[in-house]
Amino acid sequence: MSFQDEKALVRAHYDALTRATYETVAEILSERTSPNWHWRGMHPFHEQYGAEAVAASFWSPFLQSMSRVQRRQDMFIAGRNEIDGFQSVWVISMGHLMGLFDAPFLGIKPKGRIAMLRYAEFNKVEGGRIVETALFCDLLHLMRQAGQYPLPPQTGMHLVQPGPATHDGLHFDDADPAQGAKTLALVNRMIGDINTHQRYSTPQEELAQTWHDDFIWWGPEGIGATYTIDRYIAQHQQPFRTQIKDRVYNGHVCRLAEGNFGGFFGWANLTVTNAGGYMGLPAGTPAEMRVVDLYRRDGDKLAENWIFIDMLHFLNLQGLDVLGRMTDF
């Protein structure tokens, strides 16, 4: 099973974007995408169709704000999507879009300094074209870099997140399919444990089934990163499980693995209700969580997890318009 054609297409797409300007990006996007390309972006971009709309919504404003943009990839994998019965092929990229933040972006004021927009992107390839894309980026982290962080202190620590500790996340060549199948099976077992966690006597017992004790949970801005099972429980799992209620699992759009890496995204994965206190907000109404989870497997357990959440959408549904408040800074 080879994914070389799909990987080559996405890499050429990325190479072309490095030469794009805000004036030419629509044409460049159209070169390798389908006419009805379905693009999913975080709030305030949401869903767009076709290169012109995607350029107008995200890429042209971004390139007007950021100069000398580099794509610094930490993960690049491909595989068949378990969610549709392994019929479609998707290519996943994760890393940072690095540039000089020289003009306002979404009301975020620039510093004229280096900035790194953390991203994860899923591209569905069909018939030699990119037909679907989901681009998740951490806009809250960009606000922090610009000195305009709008939320209360988070439970974990946020950093400019590194890639895999093993520095082997770029699968430009295809990996052994057996290793990908092993990773996907472990991810699915972990998901099963989350949904049936009541059968374990402690959170530590639950997590020890599929996670190394010293695993690293690279959470998004607003929650932050944690290290080791015990700190993960204290700094993310416990607040989430006690301050969130009425959790509804909506499913995933794509879930795949290649080699020791794998992951998924949903649109939206979860619908949850803030019971009061989560991320400093009062009790509220049901809200969607659009989430990406990417994983590194080490042996028979998971060692690292990178998470992206459309935080601005989640907060906006609860009445907090973060971008609208940017004018107050």
Side-chain angles (χ1 to χ4, degrees), residues 57-237:
S57 175
F58 174 76
W59 277 105
S60 185
F62 179 71
L63 292 175
Q64 284 181 286
S65 301
M66 296 280 186
S67 62
R68 307 293 292 270
V69 175
Q70 293 184 9
R71 182 182 299 267
R72 302 180 67 87
Q73 294 188 99
D74 296 308
M75 188 182 301
F76 187 84
I77 62 174
R80 292 194 173 273
N81 180 11
E82 180 184 25
I83 303 305
D84 64 9
F86 301 101
Q87 294 302 303
S88 60
V89 175
W90 293 69
V91 180
I92 302 173
S93 173
M94 184 195 80
H96 293 83
L97 296 172
M98 185 193 79
L100 296 172
F101 193 5
D102 287 339
F105 182 58
L106 303 174
I108 308 168
K109 294 179 175 60
K111 290 290 188 179
R113 300 172 182 169
I114 189 171
M116 300 185 76
L117 182 62
R118 177 174 172 255
Y119 81 90
E121 187 174 76
F122 289 63
N123 286 293
K124 179 181 177 181
V125 178
E126 187 177 274
R129 292 272 172 172
I130 298 169
V131 298
E132 288 187 44
T133 296
L135 175 62
F136 283 68
C137 53
D138 198 334
L139 294 172
L140 282 175
H141 187 228
L142 183 63
M143 293 179 197
R144 184 182 288 280
Q145 293 174 69
Q148 298 155 56
Y149 188 67
L151 300 179
Q154 57 192 16
T155 51
M157 176 62 71
H158 198 87
L159 312 167
V160 174
Q161 295 187 0
T166 46
H167 301 284
D168 59 351
L170 299 176
H171 288 354
F172 298 137
D173 295 322
D174 295 332
D176 179 1
Q179 294 301 312
K182 187 174 181 180
T183 301
L184 187 59
L186 180 60
V187 169
N188 284 331
R189 186 153 60 92
M190 180 272 302
I191 294 171
D193 283 345
I194 291 174
N195 294 330
T196 60
H197 68 271
Q198 297 89 347
R199 63 195 173 108
Y200 296 107
S201 58
T202 65
Q204 285 83 357
E205 181 187 2
E206 171 202 340
L207 292 166
Q209 306 302 309
T210 53
W211 296 95
H212 286 288
D213 177 68
D214 62 348
F215 88 96
I216 308 172
W217 192 81
W218 297 111
E221 190 69 57
I223 299 173
T226 70
Y227 173 46
T228 75
I229 283 178
D230 286 342
R231 297 296 173 91
Y232 168 80
I233 292 169
Q235 296 172 358
H236 172 62
Q237 187 191 75

Side-chain angles (χ1 to χ4, degrees), residues 12-21 28 63 68-71:
H13 178 67
Y14 288 166
D15 286 344
L17 278 173
T18 63
R19 299 187 295 275
T21 68
I28 287 173
L63 292 175
R68 307 293 292 270
V69 175
Q70 293 184 9
R71 182 182 299 267

Side-chain angles (χ1 to χ4, degrees), residues 31-70:
E31 292 174 356
R32 294 171 183 83
T33 60
S34 63
N36 59 345
W37 177 32
H38 181 190
W39 187 91
R40 298 174 176 92
M42 302 179 79
H43 178 84
F45 314 115
H46 301 287
E47 295 183 70
Q48 305 292 333
Y49 293 87
E52 290 282 350
V54 175
S57 175
F58 174 76
W59 277 105
S60 185
F62 179 71
L63 292 175
Q64 284 181 286
S65 301
M66 296 280 186
S67 62
R68 307 293 292 270
V69 175
Q70 293 184 9

